[in-house]
């Protein structure tokens, strides 16, 4: 991100943003919270993908936009078809999670953590209202004191992935940083420019891709528990724009 700032001639703007945040301790605290929440989100996501929970990540990201709508109403006073209607639709999603918990015999914590953490992240970014390039750069810098020692520990152990023996794997791992940064920058722009309820609905593309990959590429189990949870979530997704349309008439 530092290289991107220099190449795109945003370095001066970045320094000004740093000075502004240093002077405004409240915004600085919001940035720190955003860095922590997005790190928790991606740590959970990476763990889930590596432990055969891709479909659970999809369910979490299907629920996330519904929570974004709620956050938009509660924290940013965004107007939509009445809090009662939204509460009903969120209740549908909650019923789906409860059913899934009952049928699996355990809470689908991956879905819950992903949905809650990314919704909070979106709300924090909207409240922060900072240049996306500066924001992503600072978020990663704030996590470096935790990440660098951890990488150092790994390099001293047999689980080292950044050695000369595995250059391809090291490049792939570094490439995930680039692949992660691009959508986060775009998300930051969206959080600044769009109402959370609009931003939320654009996010259904990702969980749909994740669901298809989980079923057809990773061949994960997709049984009654997952179908029932998604059924209630999809019902809520369909009903929100219908409610808005009827309101417009």
């Amino acid at each position: 991100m530092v290289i991107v700032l220099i190449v795109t001639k945003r370095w001066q703007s970045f320094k000004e943003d740093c000075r502004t945040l240093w002077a405004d301790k409240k915004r600085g605290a919001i940035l720190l919270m955003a860095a922590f929440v997005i790190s928790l989100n991606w740590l959970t996501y990476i763990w889930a993908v590596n432990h055969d929970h891709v479909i659970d990540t999809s369910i979490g990201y299907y629920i996330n936009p519904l929570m974004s709508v709620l956050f938009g109403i509660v924290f940013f006073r965004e107007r939509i078809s009445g809090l009662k209607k939204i509460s009903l639709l969120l209740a549908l999603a909650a019923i789906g999670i409860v059913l899934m918990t009952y049928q699996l015999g355990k809470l689908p914590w991956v879905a819950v953590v992903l949905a809650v953490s990314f919704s909070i992240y979106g709300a924090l970014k909207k409240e922060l209202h900072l240049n996306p390039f500066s924001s992503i750069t600072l978020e990663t810098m704030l996590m470096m004191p935790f990440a660098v020692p951890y990488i150092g520990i790994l390099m001293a152990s047999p689980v080292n992935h950044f050695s000369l023996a595995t250059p391809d794997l090291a490049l792939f791992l570094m490439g995930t940083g680039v692949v992660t940064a691009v959508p986060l920058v775009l998300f930051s722009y969206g959080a600044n420019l769009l109402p959370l309820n609009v931003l939320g609905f654009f996010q259904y593309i990702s969980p749909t891709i994740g669901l298809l990959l989980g079923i057809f590429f990773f061949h994960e189990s997709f049984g009654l528990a997952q179908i029932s949870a998604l059924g209630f979530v999809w019902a809520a997704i369909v009903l929100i724009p219908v409610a808005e349309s009827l309101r417009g008439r």
Side-chain angles (χ1 to χ4, degrees):
M1 286 306 300
V2 169
I3 293 169
V4 168
L5 288 173
I6 294 170
V7 170
T8 58
K9 299 180 179 178
R10 288 185 169 90
W11 185 251
Q12 192 59 38
S13 167
F14 173 70
K15 290 197 292 184
E16 290 172 6
D17 286 335
C18 288
R19 280 193 287 268
T20 303
L21 287 170
W22 184 256
D24 188 342
K25 296 297 187 283
K26 180 183 176 183
R27 291 182 72 201
I30 291 173
L31 178 71
L32 182 60
M33 285 190 287
F36 171 77
V37 170
I38 196 60
S39 298
L40 172 64
N41 181 274
W42 277 97
L43 178 63
T44 304
Y45 182 81
I46 292 167
W47 182 91
V49 168
N50 283 281
H51 290 81
D52 303 320
H53 288 280
V54 174
I55 291 176
D56 282 353
T57 70
S58 172
I59 293 171
Y61 285 127
Y62 269 123
I63 297 167
N64 164 50
L66 295 171
M67 296 195 68
S68 291
V69 172
L70 180 64
F71 282 14
I73 294 168
V74 174
F75 298 114
F76 299 99
R77 304 187 186 282
E78 295 174 2
R79 300 187 68 182
I80 201 168
S81 306
L83 190 55
K84 288 183 179 178
K85 292 179 182 177
I86 293 301
S87 300
L88 174 62
L89 302 180
L90 287 166
L92 286 175
I95 289 170
I97 290 295
V98 170
L99 275 176
M100 189 172 173
T101 302
Y102 175 74
Q103 290 169 5
L104 293 177
K106 58 183 179 180
L107 180 72
W109 65 269
V110 167
V112 173
V113 171
L114 290 178
V116 173
S117 60
F118 206 73
S119 299
I120 294 173
Y121 180 68
L124 290 171
K125 297 289 276 193
K126 190 168 185 66
E127 181 69 19
L128 186 61
H129 205 77
L130 186 66
N131 177 281
F133 287 91
S134 298
S135 181
I136 301 301
T137 305
L138 287 168
E139 286 168 28
T140 16
M141 281 183 171
L142 287 169
M143 289 299 106
M144 277 183 66
F146 304 98
V148 172
Y150 178 63
I151 291 173
I153 292 168
L154 288 181
M155 290 183 74
S157 73
V159 232
N160 176 23
H161 297 305
F162 287 102
S163 69
L164 293 175
T166 56
D168 292 347
L169 181 57
L171 287 172
F172 279 132
L173 286 169
M174 287 185 279
T176 62
V178 178
V179 174
T180 300
V182 172
L184 285 181
V185 168
L186 295 176
F187 180 80
S188 295
Y189 271 115
N192 286 337
L193 299 172
L194 296 171
L196 283 181
N197 60 72
V198 175
L199 183 67
F201 280 99
F202 279 108
Q203 294 176 48
Y204 288 123
I205 298 169
S206 174
T208 301
I209 294 172
L211 179 63
L212 294 174
L213 284 173
I215 296 171
F216 298 109
F217 185 77
F218 294 108
H219 305 293
E220 291 185 9
S221 172
F222 187 61
L224 184 60
Q226 290 83 359
I227 293 170
S228 60
L230 282 172
F232 279 95
V233 173
W234 284 332
I237 291 168
V238 170
L239 285 171
I240 287 181
V242 169
E244 281 291 280
S245 174
L246 292 174
R247 182 191 180 198
R249 294 177 187 177

